[in-house]
Amino acid sequence: MSDIGDWFRSIPAITRYWFAATVAVPLVGKLGLISPAYFVLWPEAFLYRFQIWRPITATFFFPVGPGTGFLYLVNLYFLYQYSTRLETGAFDGRPADYLFMLLFNWACIVITGLAMDMQLLMIPLIMSVLYVWAQLNRDMIVSFWFGTRFKACYLPWVILGFNYIIGGSVINELIGNLVGHLYFFLMFRYPMDLGGRNFLSTPQFLSTITLPLTTA
């Protein structure tokens, strides 16, 4: 157990909290401690019954069962792997900027989810982070299942197809990729490569909130 504890504590802070919530919330639903119906994003319940927690719980919840368990575990691995790489790579020493990216992507996914009646938001947020990592490391050669190798920029689309094969919906992955592309374009591509205005900047209060993480 100490090895698991050491591994868990070694995960960078924001990824660690995200990973823990994505394990805990489905477990609570699976054990029946709280009905899973209260975790999903239902526009009517959120907008008209003021069940304001739903966009948050829908981000962490996934209905784990015999037909979905493998898809859940695969995407949990993607969360750990690529969120860790981003947080310790491009966003190393900048937890406020990384948290802002997650919040921006999450807000876009929630709005899309409400418009398209998407009840589960876990996979879109994970895919949006994976997409940003893939674009920031687009020329890196990555290995995938069965020894296949290709540039990282193709990874989000390979995973979209892979998730579809193992039971995904494609829509969730596609929304995640599009939101990730929106963030990458507004934060990096447009201002840095095209000389445009920087539309996104991290609010100061996020720097204050995450200050302990920079000094830890």
Side-chain angles (χ1 to χ4, degrees):
M1 291 298 292
S2 61
D3 291 340
I4 296 177
D6 292 341
W7 167 78
F8 183 72
R9 286 187 291 271
S10 72
I11 303 174
I14 295 174
T15 301
R16 183 167 67 245
Y17 293 133
W18 183 12
F19 184 91
T22 307
V23 172
V25 174
L27 183 61
V28 168
K30 185 67 175 177
L31 295 176
L33 301 178
I34 300 176
S35 171
Y38 287 102
F39 291 144
V40 299
L41 182 64
W42 282 345
E44 181 181 351
F46 173 67
L47 296 173
Y48 302 112
R49 300 179 192 171
F50 303 103
Q51 296 179 0
I52 59 176
W53 66 84
R54 287 185 180 272
I56 298 173
T57 55
T59 304
F60 304 123
F61 177 69
F62 196 81
V64 180
T68 60
F70 183 63
L71 178 65
Y72 168 73
L73 291 176
V74 166
N75 282 276
L76 195 64
Y77 169 78
F78 292 153
L79 186 165
Y80 163 73
Q81 187 77 357
Y82 295 101
S83 181
T84 296
R85 290 186 183 187
L86 261 189
E87 192 173 352
T88 59
F91 292 90
D92 186 31
R94 300 188 294 132
D97 294 337
Y98 187 61
L99 182 57
F100 174 68
M101 183 202 71
L102 288 178
L103 291 174
F104 174 84
N105 290 2
W106 172 75
C108 293
I109 289 168
V110 168
I111 293 170
T112 305
L114 291 171
M116 298 181 60
D117 196 20
M118 294 168 51
Q119 297 183 1
L120 303 173
L121 309 182
M122 186 193 86
I123 289 178
L125 186 59
I126 293 172
M127 289 299 298
S128 73
V129 169
L130 188 151
Y131 185 94
V132 172
W133 178 86
Q135 293 305 310
L136 290 174
N137 300 273
R138 58 182 301 109
D139 292 324
M140 178 186 295
I141 301 299
V142 297
S143 298
F144 199 60
W145 286 33
F146 310 115
T148 54
R149 292 168 60 85
F150 45 83
K151 288 187 176 181
C153 60
Y154 301 118
L155 182 62
W157 307 106
V158 171
I159 291 177
L160 183 151
F162 177 76
N163 277 0
Y164 177 71
I165 292 172
I166 64 174
S169 68
V170 173
I171 296 298
N172 288 328
E173 290 80 358
L174 182 61
I175 295 300
N177 286 353
L178 293 176
V179 168
H181 180 76
L182 177 63
Y183 173 84
F184 178 79
F185 181 81
L186 293 177
M187 179 59 76
F188 297 105
R189 177 72 173 158
Y190 186 63
M192 295 182 182
D193 296 340
L194 303 178
R197 174 186 172 189
N198 193 341
F199 289 99
L200 300 180
S201 60
T202 302
Q204 182 59 40
F205 79 90
L206 290 181
S207 299
T208 303
I209 291 173
T210 58
L211 182 59
L213 302 181
T214 63
T215 58

